[in-house]
Amino acid sequence: MLLLAMDTATPAVTVALHDGDSVVAESRQVDARRHGELLLPAVDRVLKEAGLKLDAVTGIVVGVGPGPYTGLRVGLVTAATFASALGVPVHGLCTLDGLAHASGIEEPFVVATDARRKEVYWARYENSRTRVTEAAVDRPAEIADRVAGLPAVGAGARLYPEVFPDARDPEHQSAGALAALAAEKLVAGTDFLDPLPMYLRRPDAQVPKNYKVVTPK
């Protein structure tokens, strides 16, 4: 097994190789505006560090979000392209599950990432491997009662300390943790998500309504 994992659903552009037992190589750069520019060089970097060629990969793992429209699509399109070119499967995982897995927390907690617009993408977990709610997007004040008293991980938790006073690491996504979770699921034979974007809301950019037609008749 050699999994190539990537996630661009958050400001972290992260890529990793996992051999089924451990992370072979990993790259992470936090930059919310350069997902498309940073992702492919990161893939090249981890392959070079591992001393491997792309054709050694047996499966692609990708975070499907939730996340902002543009950044999220970069990772999903790249994952689909690699999978098609290599003839290997692509496995989708919830981005929040990767952060939960990386936390190692074995008590109830929350994962919260920055959804912009003064909102967070979030979900509750029983432990680092068990999500107990669907991923959602809300204003922090609206969920304060539902997350009260729980530790929280993710950049969203650090942005709103009044709602998430017990913010813990990790702050940013790790493709290594996402790949480790995928390796466990492959061994156990459990299902993955389809590699489709989990937006939870409409994209920021939309076609204006009632715009005037200016082409000649």
Side-chain angles (χ1 to χ4, degrees), residues 18-210:
H18 196 287
D19 64 6
D21 294 316
S22 61
V23 174
V24 178
E26 182 170 11
S27 170
R28 181 172 65 187
Q29 295 168 276
V30 179
D31 190 325
R33 299 183 180 275
R34 295 199 300 151
H35 294 84
E37 180 181 344
L38 296 174
L39 182 57
L40 290 179
V43 173
D44 288 340
R45 193 160 49 248
V46 297
L47 287 167
K48 184 177 180 179
E49 181 180 337
L52 296 168
K53 301 292 186 181
L54 185 60
D55 59 10
V57 170
T58 61
I60 309 293
V61 179
V62 63
V64 303
Y69 182 86
T70 303
L72 179 55
R73 285 181 63 86
V74 169
L76 286 164
V77 170
T78 302
T81 301
F82 280 150
S84 177
L86 296 171
V88 300
V90 55
H91 308 294
L93 287 173
C94 175
T95 293
L96 304 182
D97 291 355
L99 280 155
H101 190 74
S103 76
I105 297 175
E106 296 306 317
E107 61 180 305
F109 70 104
V110 179
V111 174
T113 61
D114 182 16
R116 305 173 186 172
R117 303 186 195 176
K118 298 182 179 180
E119 295 178 327
V120 293
Y121 297 117
W122 71 284
R124 286 183 54 165
Y125 289 77
E126 183 64 28
N127 53 53
S128 62
R129 290 174 172 79
T130 309
R131 177 158 43 89
V132 294
T133 67
E134 294 297 322
V137 58
D138 290 290
R139 289 183 178 272
E142 296 171 348
I143 60 171
D145 291 344
R146 301 170 65 183
V147 302
L150 296 176
V153 303
R158 294 176 185 268
L159 284 172
Y160 303 99
E162 69 280 8
V163 176
F164 305 102
D166 187 6
R168 304 183 186 180
D169 290 335
E171 179 179 359
H172 295 294
Q173 176 69 305
S174 160
L178 199 71
L181 178 59
E184 289 184 6
K185 290 174 71 70
L186 284 167
V187 171
T190 53
D191 293 333
F192 289 87
L193 298 175
D194 291 331
L196 300 173
M198 186 187 298
Y199 293 131
L200 301 187
R201 67 183 183 202
R202 293 179 180 273
D204 292 331
Q206 298 185 35
V207 177
K209 295 181 179 179
N210 302 319

Side-chain angles (χ1 to χ4, degrees), residues 205-217:
Q206 298 185 35
V207 177
K209 295 181 179 179
N210 302 319
Y211 62 89
K212 294 177 66 175
V213 177
V214 294
T215 53
K217 293 183 180 180

